[in-house]
Amino acid sequence: MLTFVVLQPFQNASLSYFKDRLLSVGPSLLDLWGRGYSSAPVDLPHDDRLYSTAILLALASSPMSWTGSSKFALVGYSMGGGIVANFTSCFPTLVSSLVLIAPSGLIREHHFSTRSRILYSTGFLPESVLEWAVRRRLKQAPATASAAKPKEPGVALEADVPEEKGFDEAILLETRPNVTVKDVVVCIYIVAESAQAAYYTLAAILMGTQDWQVNNHHGFVKSYRSSLRYAPISKQESDWKRIGRRLTAQKHSTAQKRLSEDGIQAKESGLDNGKVLIICGMTDPIIISEELMEDATKVLGVDNVQFETCDTGHELPITKSAEILEYMWDFWEGNSQI
């Protein structure tokens, strides 16, 4: 059985596309601290240590077998990609497979504006002033923007609703192709008195969640700011290089007819596929595909990474969910151990 953990996951509708195949796996979907109804430990920095704790807590509280030969696959989207890459670099013997979808971690510094650097800095302005400014910025975020111009990761990467052209037209469910994200904005007031109303309410929450969190979740803005300060969004080359070195050592140990003690350790610290799968959107204005491919190849190694692309932007888990899941499944099936 393949067990996989998804951080910043696909819609449940997307997973239902593969419901027959997914009967053989044990998925676990994680939320981020301070999002939705999740608690916000505002007294702690929202860094890789806190997010790794979230993954370990979810695993420890689940009935899944996740140690020894029953390792799990990690799938991370956007900031979740940076988080699971960091987790894999720190806990290599727990992870069997790593899939990164438009991941953070290697975003180049020049994409961060001076305004973002100030808003998410420490010690430059009083915390109360910074929190007010970030709250105001989130409330005033535009609904759409051109996908042709790279967007500040400090604005869009962490947002629950990607701010780019094409997101409004995203189809939420294949069974209702006439209903897009734009259509359900007006449905936020619907009460779930029937199954159909429940669907529209759920879809509306996808659009209204950020506004709701800003206005009602007292820890959301603090968690949001802390994530952009401390989460693995950029400057994660050392963690990614560590993964690449282990994959290279794994290949060398596999080439030997008899594994030494070091070779066995290298194999256990590697990944079942011997590679990391990275899926990116060709028109993504947040995670620039050309930059990601160049930088990921440099730190992981050309033989240690497999790239797949979708003709879309940062909303790819919604607009290209079936295509992404095909890439993932083909990647997993390429390994006889899965």
Side-chain angles (χ1 to χ4, degrees), residues 28-92:
S28 178
L29 310 180
L30 275 67
D31 199 2
L32 297 176
W33 296 109
R35 310 304 191 275
Y37 296 109
S38 297
S39 59
V42 294
D43 58 329
L44 297 173
H46 286 46
D47 58 11
D48 48 8
R49 297 169 296 178
L50 186 64
Y51 289 119
S52 293
T53 301
I55 296 175
L56 293 172
L57 288 174
L59 291 167
S61 62
S62 75
M64 300 185 304
S65 177
W66 52 278
T67 58
S69 60
S70 300
K71 300 193 293 184
F72 56 90
L74 275 175
V75 180
Y77 162 60
S78 195
M79 194 180 84
I83 292 171
V84 297
N86 170 267
F87 183 92
T88 302
S89 74
C90 296
F91 302 95

Side-chain angles (χ1 to χ4, degrees), residues 40 42 131 135 213-222:
V42 294
E131 183 173 339
R135 186 182 299 274
Q213 291 175 122
V214 170
N215 295 323
N216 299 281
H217 194 318
H218 297 300
F220 171 69
V221 175
K222 288 184 173 65

Side-chain angles (χ1 to χ4, degrees), residues 4-268:
F4 68 93
V5 177
V6 184
L7 201 62
Q8 297 251 98
F10 302 113
Q11 309 300 330
N12 288 338
S14 303
L15 293 178
S16 68
Y17 181 85
F18 279 73
K19 60 182 179 180
D20 293 333
R21 293 181 176 182
L22 291 177
L23 290 176
S24 63
V25 303
S28 178
L29 310 180
L30 275 67
D31 199 2
L32 297 176
W33 296 109
R35 310 304 191 275
Y37 296 109
S38 297
S39 59
V42 294
D43 58 329
L44 297 173
H46 286 46
D47 58 11
D48 48 8
R49 297 169 296 178
L50 186 64
Y51 289 119
S52 293
T53 301
I55 296 175
L56 293 172
L57 288 174
L59 291 167
S61 62
S62 75
M64 300 185 304
S65 177
W66 52 278
T67 58
S69 60
S70 300
K71 300 193 293 184
F72 56 90
L74 275 175
V75 180
Y77 162 60
S78 195
M79 194 180 84
I83 292 171
V84 297
N86 170 267
F87 183 92
T88 302
S89 74
C90 296
F91 302 95
T93 59
L94 297 181
V95 182
S96 63
S97 177
L98 182 60
V99 178
L100 308 176
I101 304 169
S104 68
L106 302 179
I107 298 176
R108 297 181 181 180
E109 286 296 295
H110 69 266
H111 291 302
F112 294 90
S113 69
T114 301
R115 180 174 63 171
S116 288
R117 295 176 191 273
I118 294 175
L119 285 178
Y120 305 108
S121 64
T122 57
F124 188 74
L125 292 173
E127 289 295 300
S128 58
V129 174
L130 292 174
E131 183 173 339
W132 173 84
V134 171
R135 186 182 299 274
R136 182 170 179 269
R137 191 181 196 189
L138 289 173
K139 287 185 176 181
Q140 295 179 348
T144 59
S146 172
K149 181 180 179 180
K151 190 175 296 298
E152 292 179 42
V155 178
L157 178 64
E158 246 283 285
D160 290 341
V161 180
E163 303 165 11
E164 57 178 287
K165 184 178 180 181
F167 184 79
D168 284 352
E169 290 75 32
I171 296 173
L172 291 173
L173 287 175
E174 290 190 355
T175 56
R176 296 178 181 272
N178 60 313
V179 179
T180 64
V181 170
K182 182 179 180 180
D183 296 325
V184 302
V185 174
V186 298
C187 302
I188 296 177
Y189 64 91
I190 294 180
V191 179
E193 296 177 349
S194 65
Q196 183 177 13
Y199 159 77
Y200 282 110
T201 303
L202 175 63
I205 290 174
L206 297 176
M207 282 299 294
T209 181
Q210 181 164 297
D211 287 340
W212 181 90
Q213 291 175 122
V214 170
N215 295 323
N216 299 281
H217 194 318
H218 297 300
F220 171 69
V221 175
K222 288 184 173 65
S223 290
Y224 181 96
R225 290 174 54 235
S226 187
S227 295
L228 292 178
R229 280 178 175 175
Y230 303 114
I233 294 176
S234 62
K235 299 180 180 179
Q236 299 302 302
E237 287 80 4
S238 60
D239 285 342
W240 290 52
K241 285 181 179 179
R242 190 179 301 119
I243 297 173
R245 287 196 298 268
R246 288 172 180 156
L247 292 174
T248 299
Q250 177 187 5
K251 288 181 172 64
H252 290 164
S253 67
T254 303
Q256 299 174 5
K257 293 183 178 180
R258 297 184 60 183
L259 291 179
S260 62
E261 184 177 344
D262 291 340
I264 294 174
Q265 183 178 2
K267 186 175 182 181
E268 291 177 348

Side-chain angles (χ1 to χ4, degrees), residues 77 100-103 164 278-290 292-293 308-317 319-320 324:
Y77 162 60
L100 308 176
I101 304 169
E164 57 178 287
I278 298 180
I279 306 172
C280 48
M282 294 303 294
T283 59
D284 192 336
I286 302 169
I287 308 298
I288 312 300
S289 59
E290 294 86 355
L292 175 61
M293 291 180 181
E308 301 292 351
T309 60
C310 300
D311 186 17
T312 187
H314 200 64
E315 78 281 3
L316 68 167
T319 57
K320 299 293 182 179
I324 290 173

